[in-house]
Amino acid sequence: MTLAGAALVALFFVLFAALVLAGLIVGGRTARRAREARRARLARPARQLLLAIAAGDDDPAQVDELVGLPEEVWLAVEPNAVALLGKVRGEAHATLVDVFERRGAAWRARSQLKRRDPVARATAAEVLGNLGRKDALLPLCDLLSDPDPDVRVVAARSLGRIGDAGATQPLLATLPSRRPVPAHVVATALTRLGTSAQNALLAALDDPRTPVRATAAEVLGLIGAVGATVRVESALRADPAVEVRVSAARSLGRLGTRTALAPLLDALEEDRPPVLRAEAARALGELGAVTAAPALSALLADPDYAVAHNAARSLLRLGNAGRAALVAAEHRAHVRPRHSAEPDAGPDPEVLLSAAHAREALAAAELDDHRKQTLAGAQQRAEVP
């Protein structure tokens, strides 16, 4: 065979292979679309039953119909059922849980936790969490170290839904691990555990790992653990990590106890890190202690924007005393100094800076008041027949 003939043969095989590959791709897409269309047809009647239950219709006949669906139909509608299970509450949720349990969904989900497919593992974890299966606590804790980050997140959220305090330490332990779960996901899950996790969270404030202490301090405020105030105050004063002290300041604002005033005022000192001072200024507003007004007013001229901004917004939250301090700060910018070597000298830069932050806060308050009045007026007009 000549060189030209060999080249033609090679070209033919290349074109043939390309045509076969294109045919396989098109055929695969067609088959996938056909499967999806068939699944949609199978699921359509069952979806109507699910929506009826989600709307509060707990007709036993409809429940029995869902439980008795052929396996092929249930598998087609199961993704919709799982999604609804995570959204509905009350009787509708209890009814859907009954459907899942009677169909053996919990057992099937447990068997899926070890699947190689991460989507299957995540779906199984979600189902067990939505069903509130406390017997799934240990396998879900194992998934907190799953190689797939999405599976870890779903496992953490599911542990929060189950609400067993035994998940507290495993959830915290994921934060500094080689395969971490995002801190906000862990905090949300721990918050859902409620006060039952308080003792474990208090113990975590002594953990040598900074992310664990910081999240524990944060969650104690989120769950309203007033009994932990003294320990959180200690963390604000003495913890070596700024991250932990910031979380402690935020929690003290949420807990709202009178004893938090002194450590929060101490956290405003100039030698403290700016991020801590800003958080302490914000927390004093949540605390609502009118006696903090002078300290917050002094911060209006702070060179750090976040500190001054938070102080101004916190003054608004202190009521009339706070607003009066803002008005006074704004007014000082218009007062000409009486004793000045320069007759045309205006206010010094600190006074102007204080006035700017005060003016911003007062404008925001005025806008908020106007918005509330507009909404109230609209509601009154809607009530008029």
Side-chain angles (χ1 to χ4, degrees):
M1 181 181 294
T2 64
L3 185 60
L8 286 173
V9 171
L11 179 61
F12 171 79
F13 278 112
V14 169
L15 291 174
F16 179 75
L19 288 172
V20 170
L21 180 60
L24 290 173
I25 292 173
V26 172
R29 288 177 179 173
T30 302
R32 185 170 64 253
R33 288 171 183 166
R35 286 195 302 270
E36 290 173 353
R38 183 171 183 275
R39 189 180 296 115
R41 286 195 302 272
L42 288 171
R44 191 174 297 115
R47 276 204 301 270
Q48 298 302 318
L49 292 173
L50 284 173
L51 292 174
I53 291 175
D57 186 356
D58 56 352
D59 183 353
Q62 291 183 330
V63 174
D64 290 340
E65 188 175 351
L66 266 178
V67 173
L69 287 175
E71 189 67 13
E72 185 180 28
V73 178
W74 174 257
L75 290 177
V77 79
E78 190 174 37
N80 303 95
V82 171
L84 272 179
L85 190 61
K87 294 176 181 177
V88 297
R89 297 291 182 269
E91 293 184 5
H93 183 268
T95 302
L96 278 177
V97 168
D98 179 53
V99 171
F100 272 80
E101 294 287 2
R102 288 168 63 184
R103 289 201 62 93
W107 174 85
R108 186 164 58 251
R110 284 288 296 268
S111 68
Q112 298 285 311
L113 292 177
K114 299 292 185 181
R115 287 279 301 275
R116 295 182 63 181
D117 180 12
V119 175
R121 297 197 302 275
T123 302
E126 184 179 9
V127 169
L128 291 169
N130 287 334
L131 292 177
R133 294 297 298 248
K134 291 185 179 294
D135 58 346
L137 176 67
L138 292 180
L140 286 175
C141 286
D142 289 340
L143 284 185
L144 292 175
S145 58
D146 193 273
D148 189 278
D150 291 333
V151 174
R152 299 198 296 271
V153 167
V154 173
R157 289 173 175 163
S158 293
L159 287 168
R161 292 190 187 100
I162 291 172
D164 193 312
T168 306
Q169 291 181 346
L171 282 166
L172 288 169
T174 66
L175 295 167
S177 67
R178 186 169 57 89
R179 293 171 176 170
V181 176
H184 70 277
V185 174
V186 172
T188 301
L190 290 170
T191 302
R192 298 191 71 164
L193 302 184
T195 54
S196 64
Q198 179 172 327
N199 290 336
L201 291 169
L202 283 170
L205 290 177
D206 295 318
D207 194 282
R209 298 163 294 185
T210 296
V212 173
R213 299 197 309 277
T215 301
E218 184 85 28
V219 176
L220 284 168
L222 289 171
I223 65 175
V226 177
T229 301
V230 174
R231 187 65 187 83
V232 178
E233 290 172 1
S234 177
L236 173 59
R237 291 184 185 275
D239 197 280
V242 174
E243 179 184 352
V244 179
R245 295 166 69 190
V246 168
S247 292
R250 189 156 45 240
S251 283
L252 288 176
R254 289 172 177 148
L255 294 174
T257 59
R258 292 182 179 180
T259 58
L261 178 61
L264 286 172
L265 288 174
D266 182 67
L268 296 178
E269 295 295 328
E270 291 184 2
D271 61 340
R272 307 295 190 261
V275 64
L276 176 60
R277 299 174 68 232
E279 191 56 51
R282 190 194 62 80
L284 284 167
E286 290 198 5
L287 201 64
V290 176
T291 52
L296 291 170
S297 298
L299 294 178
L300 293 176
D302 197 273
D304 186 281
Y305 173 82
V307 174
H309 176 80
N310 286 1
R313 294 308 175 97
S314 287
L315 283 168
L316 282 178
R317 303 189 68 170
L318 299 186
N320 292 334
R323 290 207 180 201
L326 290 169
V327 171
E330 200 273 338
H331 177 70
R332 279 194 294 272
H334 304 288
V335 177
R336 178 178 297 178
R338 291 183 179 179
H339 305 290
S340 175
E342 300 179 14
D344 296 330
D348 64 34
E350 288 192 357
V351 172
L352 292 175
L353 186 59
S354 295
H357 284 290
R359 193 178 303 113
E360 180 190 17
L362 290 169
E366 184 178 354
L367 181 63
D368 188 52
D369 290 342
H370 177 71
R371 187 183 296 113
K372 289 178 181 178
Q373 291 173 2
T374 302
L375 181 60
Q379 289 176 340
Q380 289 178 354
R381 288 192 295 273
E383 292 171 1
V384 176

